[in-house]
mmCIF file of all heavy atoms in Angstrom:
data_model
loop_
_atom_site.group_PDB
_atom_site.id
_atom_site.type_symbol
_atom_site.label_atom_id
_atom_site.label_comp_id
_atom_site.label_asym_id
_atom_site.label_seq_id
_atom_site.Cartn_x
_atom_site.Cartn_y
_atom_site.Cartn_z
ATOM 1 N N SER A 417 -71.366 49.716 -18.433
ATOM 2 C CA SER A 417 -71.693 49.493 -19.822
ATOM 3 C C SER A 417 -73.186 49.465 -20.052
ATOM 4 O O SER A 417 -73.717 48.564 -20.717
ATOM 5 C CB SER A 417 -71.055 48.164 -20.326
ATOM 6 O OG SER A 417 -69.672 48.193 -20.109
ATOM 7 N N LEU A 418 -73.859 50.437 -19.508
ATOM 8 C CA LEU A 418 -75.298 50.430 -19.567
ATOM 9 C C LEU A 418 -75.828 50.624 -20.971
ATOM 10 O O LEU A 418 -75.214 51.322 -21.789
ATOM 11 C CB LEU A 418 -75.863 51.531 -18.630
ATOM 12 C CG LEU A 418 -75.848 51.156 -17.148
ATOM 13 C CD1 LEU A 418 -75.972 52.400 -16.281
ATOM 14 C CD2 LEU A 418 -76.945 50.178 -16.839
ATOM 15 N N LYS A 419 -76.971 49.972 -21.238
ATOM 16 C CA LYS A 419 -77.569 49.997 -22.538
ATOM 17 C C LYS A 419 -78.990 50.577 -22.416
ATOM 18 O O LYS A 419 -79.564 50.546 -21.341
ATOM 19 C CB LYS A 419 -77.655 48.582 -23.109
ATOM 20 C CG LYS A 419 -76.343 47.848 -23.144
ATOM 21 C CD LYS A 419 -76.571 46.406 -23.606
ATOM 22 C CE LYS A 419 -75.248 45.610 -23.595
ATOM 23 N NZ LYS A 419 -75.440 44.206 -24.010
ATOM 24 N N ALA A 420 -79.533 50.979 -23.534
ATOM 25 C CA ALA A 420 -80.912 51.513 -23.510
ATOM 26 C C ALA A 420 -81.902 50.466 -22.944
ATOM 27 O O ALA A 420 -82.831 50.825 -22.243
ATOM 28 C CB ALA A 420 -81.305 51.933 -24.919
ATOM 29 N N GLU A 421 -81.608 49.215 -23.221
ATOM 30 C CA GLU A 421 -82.546 48.200 -22.763
ATOM 31 C C GLU A 421 -82.436 47.891 -21.268
ATOM 32 O O GLU A 421 -83.200 47.094 -20.751
ATOM 33 C CB GLU A 421 -82.309 46.888 -23.550
ATOM 34 C CG GLU A 421 -80.886 46.414 -23.648
ATOM 35 C CD GLU A 421 -80.224 46.868 -24.919
ATOM 36 O OE1 GLU A 421 -80.418 48.049 -25.339
ATOM 37 O OE2 GLU A 421 -79.489 46.043 -25.511
ATOM 38 N N ASP A 422 -81.509 48.561 -20.582
ATOM 39 C CA ASP A 422 -81.460 48.460 -19.132
ATOM 40 C C ASP A 422 -82.397 49.438 -18.476
ATOM 41 O O ASP A 422 -82.567 49.400 -17.221
ATOM 42 C CB ASP A 422 -80.021 48.728 -18.641
ATOM 43 C CG ASP A 422 -79.042 47.659 -19.096
ATOM 44 O OD1 ASP A 422 -79.372 46.487 -19.042
ATOM 45 O OD2 ASP A 422 -77.915 48.037 -19.469
ATOM 46 N N THR A 423 -83.005 50.306 -19.233
ATOM 47 C CA THR A 423 -83.972 51.264 -18.685
ATOM 48 C C THR A 423 -85.121 50.571 -18.025
ATOM 49 O O THR A 423 -85.802 49.726 -18.645
ATOM 50 C CB THR A 423 -84.474 52.193 -19.792
ATOM 51 O OG1 THR A 423 -83.400 52.967 -20.311
ATOM 52 C CG2 THR A 423 -85.585 53.127 -19.290
ATOM 53 N N ALA A 424 -85.357 50.876 -16.744
ATOM 54 C CA ALA A 424 -86.398 50.195 -15.974
ATOM 55 C C ALA A 424 -86.467 50.779 -14.566
ATOM 56 O O ALA A 424 -85.548 51.545 -14.178
ATOM 57 C CB ALA A 424 -86.134 48.696 -15.887
ATOM 58 N N VAL A 425 -87.454 50.373 -13.838
ATOM 59 C CA VAL A 425 -87.489 50.620 -12.386
ATOM 60 C C VAL A 425 -86.851 49.414 -11.753
ATOM 61 O O VAL A 425 -87.281 48.292 -11.969
ATOM 62 C CB VAL A 425 -88.948 50.814 -11.893
ATOM 63 C CG1 VAL A 425 -88.937 50.931 -10.374
ATOM 64 C CG2 VAL A 425 -89.567 52.024 -12.526
ATOM 65 N N TYR A 426 -85.844 49.701 -10.963
ATOM 66 C CA TYR A 426 -85.073 48.644 -10.289
ATOM 67 C C TYR A 426 -85.537 48.562 -8.825
ATOM 68 O O TYR A 426 -85.524 49.581 -8.102
ATOM 69 C CB TYR A 426 -83.593 48.917 -10.350
ATOM 70 C CG TYR A 426 -83.015 48.647 -11.712
ATOM 71 C CD1 TYR A 426 -83.307 49.444 -12.794
ATOM 72 C CD2 TYR A 426 -82.184 47.533 -11.917
ATOM 73 C CE1 TYR A 426 -82.781 49.163 -14.046
ATOM 74 C CE2 TYR A 426 -81.663 47.246 -13.164
ATOM 75 C CZ TYR A 426 -81.967 48.097 -14.237
ATOM 76 O OH TYR A 426 -81.465 47.809 -15.491
ATOM 77 N N SER A 427 -85.844 47.352 -8.365
ATOM 78 C CA SER A 427 -86.319 47.152 -7.025
ATOM 79 C C SER A 427 -85.489 46.053 -6.367
ATOM 80 O O SER A 427 -85.085 45.077 -7.018
ATOM 81 C CB SER A 427 -87.774 46.739 -7.005
ATOM 82 O OG SER A 427 -88.617 47.654 -7.600
ATOM 83 N N CYS A 428 -85.254 46.227 -5.073
ATOM 84 C CA CYS A 428 -84.594 45.122 -4.324
ATOM 85 C C CYS A 428 -85.644 44.448 -3.503
ATOM 86 O O CYS A 428 -86.679 44.988 -3.138
ATOM 87 C CB CYS A 428 -83.462 45.672 -3.490
ATOM 88 S SG CYS A 428 -83.938 46.844 -2.203
ATOM 89 N N ALA A 429 -85.368 43.211 -3.181
ATOM 90 C CA ALA A 429 -86.264 42.370 -2.360
ATOM 91 C C ALA A 429 -85.419 41.482 -1.470
ATOM 92 O O ALA A 429 -84.296 41.141 -1.802
ATOM 93 C CB ALA A 429 -87.156 41.551 -3.290
ATOM 94 N N ALA A 430 -85.995 41.104 -0.337
ATOM 95 C CA ALA A 430 -85.244 40.295 0.616
ATOM 96 C C ALA A 430 -86.102 39.142 1.129
ATOM 97 O O ALA A 430 -87.323 39.259 1.248
ATOM 98 C CB ALA A 430 -84.837 41.176 1.823
ATOM 99 N N ARG A 431 -85.451 38.038 1.340
ATOM 100 C CA ARG A 431 -86.119 36.888 1.956
ATOM 101 C C ARG A 431 -85.154 36.183 2.923
ATOM 102 O O ARG A 431 -83.953 36.104 2.645
ATOM 103 C CB ARG A 431 -86.646 35.937 0.903
ATOM 104 C CG ARG A 431 -85.612 35.241 0.056
ATOM 105 C CD ARG A 431 -86.246 34.151 -0.779
ATOM 106 N NE ARG A 431 -86.629 33.003 -0.015
ATOM 107 C CZ ARG A 431 -87.390 32.023 -0.480
ATOM 108 N NH1 ARG A 431 -87.854 32.054 -1.721
ATOM 109 N NH2 ARG A 431 -87.709 30.982 0.286
ATOM 110 N N ARG A 432 -85.709 35.726 3.999
ATOM 111 C CA ARG A 432 -84.885 35.072 4.999
ATOM 112 C C ARG A 432 -84.658 33.623 4.580
ATOM 113 O O ARG A 432 -85.610 32.832 4.523
ATOM 114 C CB ARG A 432 -85.575 35.122 6.351
ATOM 115 C CG ARG A 432 -84.693 34.605 7.490
ATOM 116 C CD ARG A 432 -85.300 34.985 8.814
ATOM 117 N NE ARG A 432 -84.421 34.604 9.917
ATOM 118 C CZ ARG A 432 -84.317 35.280 11.070
ATOM 119 N NH1 ARG A 432 -85.096 36.285 11.250
ATOM 120 N NH2 ARG A 432 -83.496 34.908 11.990
ATOM 121 N N THR A 433 -83.424 33.293 4.262
ATOM 122 C CA THR A 433 -83.165 31.961 3.784
ATOM 123 C C THR A 433 -81.662 31.666 3.858
ATOM 124 O O THR A 433 -80.838 32.556 3.797
ATOM 125 C CB THR A 433 -83.590 31.812 2.324
ATOM 126 O OG1 THR A 433 -83.285 30.468 1.858
ATOM 127 C CG2 THR A 433 -82.807 32.764 1.382
ATOM 128 N N SER A 434 -81.405 30.385 4.038
ATOM 129 C CA SER A 434 -79.990 29.919 3.984
ATOM 130 C C SER A 434 -79.860 28.855 2.895
ATOM 131 O O SER A 434 -78.838 28.153 2.806
ATOM 132 C CB SER A 434 -79.558 29.329 5.355
ATOM 133 O OG SER A 434 -80.457 28.248 5.688
ATOM 134 N N ALA A 435 -80.911 28.772 2.070
ATOM 135 C CA ALA A 435 -80.878 27.760 1.013
ATOM 136 C C ALA A 435 -79.983 28.223 -0.134
ATOM 137 O O ALA A 435 -79.594 29.385 -0.211
ATOM 138 C CB ALA A 435 -82.303 27.532 0.484
ATOM 139 N N GLY A 436 -79.644 27.310 -1.017
ATOM 140 C CA GLY A 436 -78.823 27.596 -2.165
ATOM 141 C C GLY A 436 -79.449 28.688 -3.034
ATOM 142 O O GLY A 436 -80.675 28.686 -3.243
ATOM 143 N N ILE A 437 -78.657 29.566 -3.565
ATOM 144 C CA ILE A 437 -79.169 30.747 -4.234
ATOM 145 C C ILE A 437 -80.059 30.420 -5.456
ATOM 146 O O ILE A 437 -81.017 31.104 -5.737
ATOM 147 C CB ILE A 437 -77.987 31.681 -4.651
ATOM 148 C CG1 ILE A 437 -78.524 33.092 -5.009
ATOM 149 C CG2 ILE A 437 -77.192 31.071 -5.779
ATOM 150 C CD1 ILE A 437 -77.405 34.112 -5.166
ATOM 151 N N SER A 438 -79.743 29.344 -6.131
ATOM 152 C CA SER A 438 -80.484 29.010 -7.313
ATOM 153 C C SER A 438 -81.914 28.543 -6.976
ATOM 154 O O SER A 438 -82.780 28.514 -7.857
ATOM 155 C CB SER A 438 -79.788 27.922 -8.094
ATOM 156 O OG SER A 438 -79.646 26.756 -7.350
ATOM 157 N N THR A 439 -82.176 28.159 -5.731
ATOM 158 C CA THR A 439 -83.481 27.672 -5.367
ATOM 159 C C THR A 439 -84.458 28.780 -5.025
ATOM 160 O O THR A 439 -85.657 28.533 -4.983
ATOM 161 C CB THR A 439 -83.394 26.751 -4.117
ATOM 162 O OG1 THR A 439 -82.978 27.547 -2.993
ATOM 163 C CG2 THR A 439 -82.408 25.609 -4.327
ATOM 164 N N TRP A 440 -84.003 29.993 -4.826
ATOM 165 C CA TRP A 440 -84.932 31.036 -4.431
ATOM 166 C C TRP A 440 -84.776 32.364 -5.180
ATOM 167 O O TRP A 440 -85.698 33.194 -5.222
ATOM 168 C CB TRP A 440 -84.755 31.365 -2.930
ATOM 169 C CG TRP A 440 -83.363 31.701 -2.475
ATOM 170 C CD1 TRP A 440 -82.409 30.836 -1.984
ATOM 171 C CD2 TRP A 440 -82.724 32.987 -2.529
ATOM 172 N NE1 TRP A 440 -81.271 31.522 -1.707
ATOM 173 C CE2 TRP A 440 -81.420 32.839 -2.009
ATOM 174 C CE3 TRP A 440 -83.164 34.260 -2.909
ATOM 175 C CZ2 TRP A 440 -80.520 33.904 -1.912
ATOM 176 C CZ3 TRP A 440 -82.258 35.338 -2.809
ATOM 177 C CH2 TRP A 440 -81.003 35.131 -2.296
ATOM 178 N N SER A 441 -83.647 32.614 -5.777
ATOM 179 C CA SER A 441 -83.332 33.952 -6.272
ATOM 180 C C SER A 441 -84.306 34.464 -7.304
ATOM 181 O O SER A 441 -84.661 35.635 -7.312
ATOM 182 C CB SER A 441 -81.923 33.983 -6.851
ATOM 183 O OG SER A 441 -81.769 32.974 -7.818
ATOM 184 N N GLY A 442 -84.793 33.655 -8.194
ATOM 185 C CA GLY A 442 -85.663 34.099 -9.265
ATOM 186 C C GLY A 442 -87.142 34.027 -9.005
ATOM 187 O O GLY A 442 -87.976 34.441 -9.823
ATOM 188 N N ILE A 443 -87.503 33.507 -7.833
ATOM 189 C CA ILE A 443 -88.902 33.297 -7.496
ATOM 190 C C ILE A 443 -89.453 34.556 -6.781
ATOM 191 O O ILE A 443 -89.294 34.695 -5.567
ATOM 192 C CB ILE A 443 -89.099 32.049 -6.631
ATOM 193 C CG1 ILE A 443 -88.527 30.846 -7.359
ATOM 194 C CG2 ILE A 443 -90.589 31.841 -6.382
ATOM 195 C CD1 ILE A 443 -88.498 29.587 -6.534
ATOM 196 N N GLN A 444 -90.105 35.426 -7.498
ATOM 197 C CA GLN A 444 -90.532 36.704 -6.944
ATOM 198 C C GLN A 444 -91.476 36.544 -5.779
ATOM 199 O O GLN A 444 -91.416 37.259 -4.796
ATOM 200 C CB GLN A 444 -91.168 37.557 -8.036
ATOM 201 C CG GLN A 444 -90.177 37.924 -9.153
ATOM 202 C CD GLN A 444 -90.796 38.855 -10.158
ATOM 203 O OE1 GLN A 444 -91.544 39.740 -9.853
ATOM 204 N NE2 GLN A 444 -90.408 38.652 -11.447
ATOM 205 N N SER A 445 -92.364 35.562 -5.873
ATOM 206 C CA SER A 445 -93.370 35.358 -4.831
ATOM 207 C C SER A 445 -92.748 34.881 -3.517
ATOM 208 O O SER A 445 -93.389 34.919 -2.489
ATOM 209 C CB SER A 445 -94.425 34.354 -5.275
ATOM 210 O OG SER A 445 -93.806 33.106 -5.569
ATOM 211 N N GLY A 446 -91.494 34.446 -3.585
ATOM 212 C CA GLY A 446 -90.854 33.941 -2.379
ATOM 213 C C GLY A 446 -90.194 34.985 -1.518
ATOM 214 O O GLY A 446 -89.785 34.724 -0.411
ATOM 215 N N TYR A 447 -90.107 36.223 -2.026
ATOM 216 C CA TYR A 447 -89.478 37.274 -1.283
ATOM 217 C C TYR A 447 -90.447 37.836 -0.249
ATOM 218 O O TYR A 447 -91.640 38.011 -0.515
ATOM 219 C CB TYR A 447 -89.009 38.347 -2.167
ATOM 220 C CG TYR A 447 -87.750 37.967 -2.947
ATOM 221 C CD1 TYR A 447 -87.819 37.228 -4.107
ATOM 222 C CD2 TYR A 447 -86.474 38.354 -2.478
ATOM 223 C CE1 TYR A 447 -86.661 36.817 -4.783
ATOM 224 C CE2 TYR A 447 -85.309 37.960 -3.145
ATOM 225 C CZ TYR A 447 -85.416 37.218 -4.297
ATOM 226 O OH TYR A 447 -84.267 36.830 -4.977
ATOM 227 N N ASP A 448 -89.913 38.168 0.923
ATOM 228 C CA ASP A 448 -90.752 38.653 1.999
ATOM 229 C C ASP A 448 -90.972 40.149 1.973
ATOM 230 O O ASP A 448 -91.978 40.655 2.417
ATOM 231 C CB ASP A 448 -90.096 38.274 3.368
ATOM 232 C CG ASP A 448 -89.925 36.806 3.498
ATOM 233 O OD1 ASP A 448 -90.892 36.052 3.295
ATOM 234 O OD2 ASP A 448 -88.785 36.358 3.830
ATOM 235 N N TYR A 449 -89.963 40.880 1.528
ATOM 236 C CA TYR A 449 -90.012 42.325 1.560
ATOM 237 C C TYR A 449 -89.544 42.929 0.225
ATOM 238 O O TYR A 449 -88.599 42.401 -0.363
ATOM 239 C CB TYR A 449 -89.150 42.874 2.716
ATOM 240 C CG TYR A 449 -89.511 42.286 4.052
ATOM 241 C CD1 TYR A 449 -88.727 41.285 4.632
ATOM 242 C CD2 TYR A 449 -90.627 42.760 4.740
ATOM 243 C CE1 TYR A 449 -89.090 40.732 5.839
ATOM 244 C CE2 TYR A 449 -90.960 42.223 5.974
ATOM 245 C CZ TYR A 449 -90.187 41.212 6.501
ATOM 246 O OH TYR A 449 -90.541 40.685 7.727
ATOM 247 N N TRP A 450 -90.136 44.038 -0.138
ATOM 248 C CA TRP A 450 -89.762 44.732 -1.378
ATOM 249 C C TRP A 450 -89.581 46.232 -1.102
ATOM 250 O O TRP A 450 -90.297 46.810 -0.285
ATOM 251 C CB TRP A 450 -90.875 44.552 -2.426
ATOM 252 C CG TRP A 450 -90.946 43.214 -3.009
ATOM 253 C CD1 TRP A 450 -91.587 42.095 -2.440
ATOM 254 C CD2 TRP A 450 -90.375 42.766 -4.201
ATOM 255 N NE1 TRP A 450 -91.414 40.998 -3.286
ATOM 256 C CE2 TRP A 450 -90.679 41.374 -4.357
ATOM 257 C CE3 TRP A 450 -89.608 43.375 -5.237
ATOM 258 C CZ2 TRP A 450 -90.274 40.621 -5.482
ATOM 259 C CZ3 TRP A 450 -89.207 42.610 -6.319
ATOM 260 C CH2 TRP A 450 -89.511 41.253 -6.423
ATOM 261 N N GLY A 451 -88.698 46.782 -1.855
ATOM 262 C CA GLY A 451 -88.565 48.246 -1.791
ATOM 263 C C GLY A 451 -89.469 48.902 -2.857
ATOM 264 O O GLY A 451 -90.144 48.194 -3.594
#
């Protein structure tokens, strides 16, 4: 159900963690690697 407002460059990022998802998922500076 894609919309015009979904237009963007999409990137994935990874960080080594076993913490709860809400504690790290939105913090861009916390990711170790980016595509």
Side-chain angles (χ1 to χ4, degrees):
S417 302
L418 283 161
K419 307 174 182 179
E421 50 264 43
D422 294 318
T423 295
V425 175
Y426 285 71
S427 300
C428 62
R431 65 172 286 169
R432 188 167 186 149
T433 180
S434 58
I437 196 170
S438 61
T439 66
W440 55 266
S441 55
I443 304 173
Q444 297 185 37
S445 61
Y447 285 83
D448 302 309
Y449 304 102
W450 287 83

